[in-house]
Structures are given as structure tokens and as C-alpha cells.
Amino acid sequence: VFDPNRRISAEQALQHPYFTSPQAQAEISPLSRQIAQNALAMLQIGQQQITQYDMEVTFTVPTSEIMTFLSMNPEAEQQKILSTRQNQQYQQPTQITPQIQQSVLSISGFANNEQEQEEMINSNKENKMKEEENKKTKKKHQRNIQKRYIEKKEKRQKEKKTRRDKKKKHHLN
């Protein structure tokens, strides 16, 4: 449905049986469940990099499943990046962008030193702030959609009343 006033929200869509049915739950791999349990255990021992999505089985996907859809091996790519980092001291420096460095840190799930740990924590804080900002923006957008919907509905009701009044007036004449 292209009309935003008639379309269901993303939240409603995620409640659809396609995502919530017993069959959908049964299709979650045991490895995904194990990853989510490990994340919960890490959070309980104080690991600050764990997010709510790491602990939710519907958001975790094992590398083996990712590899079935990608034409590359993420772990092999990680090894390339790490070996490049380790060889930097022996070769001419290779440009590693902050994005690559952050992806290596997030893929590996740990940092090599305190500075990297601090960067990961700061990055997580920034991501949480952005997430909160996105939630606020989404709520504002939803309020605007609801407001437009109400305005359109009131306009239609007014037009309908005007048509009825015209019909009444026409029948009286």
C-alpha cells in the first residue's frame, strides 16, 4: 500500500506472523540462540559493548549463515585487515580508515589495548545517542503522520457534510 495513511507501521509489520509464528521461531538456528545467550552472559559479567540486539535471537546471525548470502568470508576479510595492521611496522604504512578499524573491532568483539577499548566505548555511546535521536525523530514523524491523517479525515468529513447539506437544500427546492 503506497498511501502512508493506510499502510501499517514497521512496528506492526514486525508483529506479523511471518516473524512471530511458531514456524518463524523454530527456524532460528541453535547457533543464533547460542550467540544471544553468550551475549547475555557477557553483559552479566560487565561487558559494556553488548547491546539489546546482541541478546535478541532474531537479530543475531552466525557467520556461517552470512557466508551463504555473501560471496566473501567475513572472517577471512578480518584476518586480512589484522595481518595488514600487524605488518605495518615492517612495511610502508598502509592507510587504515577509522571505518575499517571500527569494523575490525566490532567483528572481533574485543580491543587490543586501552585506547581501542575507550574508542569502542565512545563509539557505542555515540551509537546509543544516535539511536535515541532516531527514536525521537521517528516519534515526531509518526505524530506528524497522525496529525495529517486526522486533518485529512476532518476535511473528508467536512466535505461529506457539505455534500449532504447541498443535497438537502436541493431536495427542499
Side-chain angles (χ1 to χ4, degrees):
V1 178
F2 295 107
D3 182 2
N5 295 324
R6 294 180 29 209
R7 183 171 49 218
I8 65 172
S9 69
E11 187 174 342
Q12 291 168 325
L14 290 173
Q15 297 306 315
H16 188 276
Y18 180 82
F19 298 105
T20 60
S21 70
Q23 180 183 353
Q25 293 298 314
E27 290 179 1
I28 297 171
S29 74
L31 193 51
S32 289
R33 292 182 194 282
Q34 184 63 49
I35 291 170
Q37 287 176 349
N38 290 348
L40 179 60
M42 295 297 288
L43 182 69
Q44 289 172 346
I45 63 169
Q47 185 68 270
Q48 295 179 356
Q49 292 86 358
I50 304 299
T51 68
Q52 67 186 39
Y53 304 108
D54 296 321
M55 298 178 289
E56 175 59 47
V57 294
T58 57
F59 286 96
T60 58
V61 182
T63 303
S64 58
E65 289 182 31
I66 293 172
M67 288 171 45
T68 62
F69 299 103
L70 299 178
S71 59
M72 60 159 259
N73 180 342
E75 291 174 345
E77 291 295 315
Q78 177 187 5
Q79 284 305 108
K80 279 188 210 176
I81 294 168
L82 290 174
S83 65
T84 301
R85 276 179 81 194
Q86 290 170 351
N87 292 334
Q88 277 183 339
Q89 59 189 342
Y90 304 111
Q91 300 174 352
Q92 186 176 8
T94 304
Q95 180 67 25
I96 296 181
T97 65
Q99 292 85 358
I100 292 173
Q101 191 171 17
Q102 186 61 36
S103 70
V104 170
L105 293 174
S106 63
I107 289 170
S108 64
F110 61 90
N112 292 327
N113 60 43
E114 289 180 24
Q115 181 183 357
E116 288 177 355
Q117 285 178 336
E118 188 66 32
E119 288 172 4
M120 286 178 68
I121 291 168
N122 290 337
S123 175
N124 286 339
K125 287 179 183 176
E126 289 173 13
N127 288 340
K128 286 181 183 180
M129 288 173 54
K130 287 178 185 177
E131 188 177 308
E132 287 300 317
E133 191 175 312
N134 287 342
K135 284 180 185 178
K136 289 178 185 176
T137 302
K138 182 180 176 182
K139 284 183 181 180
K140 184 177 177 182
H141 181 67
Q142 287 175 337
R143 284 193 302 268
N144 287 338
I145 289 173
Q146 288 173 339
K147 183 180 175 184
R148 286 195 308 266
Y149 174 77
I150 291 168
E151 288 171 353
K152 285 180 180 182
K153 187 175 180 180
E154 288 172 350
K155 183 180 176 184
R156 285 191 302 266
Q157 288 173 344
K158 188 175 178 181
E159 289 171 351
K160 193 175 182 180
K161 184 182 183 307
T162 303
R163 284 192 303 271
R164 267 193 255 127
D165 290 347
K166 283 182 182 180
K167 281 183 181 180
K168 284 181 185 179
K169 187 176 178 182
H170 180 65
H171 285 297
L172 292 174
N173 289 337

